Amino acid sequence: MDLKVKIGNQILPNPVGVASGTFGYGEEYGELIDLSKLGAIYTKAVTVLPREGNRLPRLTETPNGMINSIGLANSGVEGFLKNKVPFLNTIKSCKNIVNVAGSTEDEYVKVVEMIDHVESVWGYEINISCPNVKCGGLAFGTDPIQVERLTRVIKSKTKKPVIMKLTPNVTDITTVATACEIGGADAVSCINTVMGMKIDIHKKQPAIYQKTGGLSGPAIKPVGVAAVYRVSKKITIPVVGLGGIMNAEDAIEYFLAGASAIQVGTANFINPNAPLDILDGIKDYMKENNLNKISDFHGFID
Ligand SMILES: Cc1cc2nc3c(=O)[nH]c(=O)nc-3n(C[C@H](O)[C@H](O)[C@H](O)COP(=O)(O)O)c2cc1C
């Protein structure tokens, strides 16, 4: 069985990664799970300058999911290089993919330029889809012309794989995915969180300070599967699927929908070993169904 996944001119050892913002920078989970067995760690977002993130409360549970409005809290690119890269340098086999966010094109480019010399960074996931920051992020992710230009500029600054992370909060996600492909992206990942809101009826106030936030977890899985299905029919570069993957069955749905790799997000908060349990379940299913490689999942569904 061959679990390798090719993205651009590079290879992931297996298709199971951990989603940005749900796994810190790897170190936080190092004692809980054998990181070397993961396909990829997609880091928490890195921005040019440190960000405190949004005011509390910024997390709340919902039926079958949670809403967050963390707001890209991180220690900035210099803090990342100084404090997070030394641990990432120790990770073997599993690939480190840095999630990059910004408010302007220049900010995205600066982060990539400052990180690109780090050998243990395998590639980038460009977050053009965060619903929790006022300018930038989501504004980029909803405009195909800006997305194409941003993709092209970032690709001109690095030889490492560039994965554009799409938002489901658009009229037609395939239009934005196509812009990524035209701009030269090596892959797209979908989906980021779905805009959501919860109101505390006793306080008669929103449950989080920002009022609306990003819904994640099982509640959004059908949205993610549909996005992956539609996007993978439209473009030829690999699609990384995520959104509500809690177990191997969920991951298999994503592969059948057209994903070449997947990410586990909210599930990590419940079971830190979920990604490796999911990897084992994928292998079992492949054995039982005589599937030898991930691309064998594709083609069952028209
Ligand atoms: C607490 C939290 C923080 C997140 N931070 C980021 C982030 O910094 N960058 C990003 O691209 N996505 C971020 N996400 C989105 C996840 O990577 C993922 O796209 C989303 O949660 C859907 O997957 P899931 O349902 O498996 O969690 C965050 C999600 C959560 C729950």
Side-chain angles (χ1 to χ4, degrees), residues 126-149:
I126 308 298
N127 178 4
I128 49 167
S129 49
C130 184
N132 297 320
V133 281
K134 284 220 169 62
C135 57
L138 192 56
F140 275 106
T142 56
D143 177 354
I145 294 167
Q146 284 200 59
V147 168
E148 185 186 325
R149 208 179 64 195

Side-chain angles (χ1 to χ4, degrees), residues 82-95:
K82 188 159 166 259
N83 303 320
K84 306 298 179 187
V85 166
F87 181 80
L88 293 179
N89 286 341
T90 67
I91 297 177
K92 302 277 174 279
S93 170
C94 161
K95 306 301 179 192

Side-chain angles (χ1 to χ4, degrees), residues 14-206:
N14 74 61
V16 178
V18 286
S20 177
T22 68
F23 209 81
Y25 298 86
E27 193 165 8
E28 296 82 344
Y29 278 76
E31 284 181 5
L32 302 172
I33 166 176
D34 184 353
L35 299 175
S36 68
K37 293 193 174 142
L38 292 170
I41 294 174
Y42 297 75
T43 71
K44 173 71 191 159
V46 177
T47 52
V48 174
L49 296 175
R51 287 177 59 95
E52 290 280 331
N54 292 325
R55 276 180 66 173
L56 304 179
R58 54 191 192 185
L59 273 182
T60 187
E61 266 189 56
T62 58
N64 272 314
M66 60 188 256
I67 293 177
N68 90 81
S69 69
I70 304 292
L72 304 176
N74 79 102
S75 57
V77 64
E78 280 175 9
F80 171 77
L81 289 168
K82 188 159 166 259
N83 303 320
K84 306 298 179 187
V85 166
F87 181 80
L88 293 179
N89 286 341
T90 67
I91 297 177
K92 302 277 174 279
S93 170
C94 161
K95 306 301 179 192
N96 301 316
I97 300 178
V98 177
N99 184 275
V100 179
S103 309
T104 63
E105 200 174 281
D106 287 351
E107 286 186 12
Y108 283 95
V109 166
K110 191 153 186 213
V111 174
V112 170
E113 282 181 333
M114 285 178 73
I115 291 178
D116 211 43
H117 68 280
V118 179
E119 262 179 48
S120 62
V121 170
W122 181 88
Y124 304 97
E125 181 178 57
I126 308 298
N127 178 4
I128 49 167
S129 49
C130 184
N132 297 320
V133 281
K134 284 220 169 62
C135 57
L138 192 56
F140 275 106
T142 56
D143 177 354
I145 294 167
Q146 284 200 59
V147 168
E148 185 186 325
R149 208 179 64 195
L150 180 67
T151 310
R152 189 165 283 124
V153 172
I154 292 172
K155 276 298 291 177
S156 73
K157 303 289 176 190
T158 180
K159 294 197 161 58
K160 301 182 186 197
V162 172
I163 303 169
M164 303 300 285
K165 184 165 180 182
L166 306 182
T167 175
N169 305 317
V170 288
T171 312
D172 183 0
I173 196 169
T174 67
T175 313
V176 185
T178 303
C180 296
E181 182 169 45
I182 295 170
D186 298 293
V188 297
S189 51
C190 47
I191 55 175
N192 207 316
T193 52
V194 177
M195 177 78 78
M197 184 174 190
K198 176 176 159 184
I199 296 173
D200 181 330
I201 62 162
H202 304 293
K203 294 184 184 155
K204 302 180 184 63
Q205 287 299 315

